[in-house]
Amino acid sequence: GQRTTFQNGGYISLGGGLTLDANGSGLGMYTSFGMDFGCGSFCFTTEYQQALGLGGGKLISPYALRVGVMKWF
């Protein structure tokens, strides 16, 4: 995938690969957007990711919402 990062800590991503969800798996693509903020020793992050794939003759569309904290070493 490819990520484009902005000066305010925001980013968007687009890529492809294997899409997995409870209804099956197949080839597809994804897009996401998020923001990293307060970065220093710790970095707070939020992200929403949506995928779309074709598996078993049907469309599958899993998503993820992530909120977290990272510690830089």
Side-chain angles (χ1 to χ4, degrees):
Q2 179 68 38
R3 178 179 281 194
T4 302
T5 305
F6 303 103
Q7 287 184 349
N8 67 355
Y11 62 87
I12 56 174
S13 300
L14 179 65
L18 182 64
T19 303
L20 302 168
D21 79 353
N23 298 314
S25 63
L27 293 178
M29 59 186 300
Y30 75 89
T31 186
S32 67
F33 61 90
M35 179 166 270
D36 296 330
F37 53 94
C39 292
S41 295
F42 291 90
C43 190
F44 301 93
T45 185
T46 61
E47 180 181 67
Y48 176 79
Q49 185 175 43
Q50 179 75 50
L52 180 64
L54 183 61
K58 59 185 172 189
L59 287 176
I60 51 178
S61 185
Y63 67 92
L65 177 61
R66 297 179 186 93
V67 177
V69 178
M70 296 180 286
K71 169 71 172 137
W72 297 106
F73 293 98

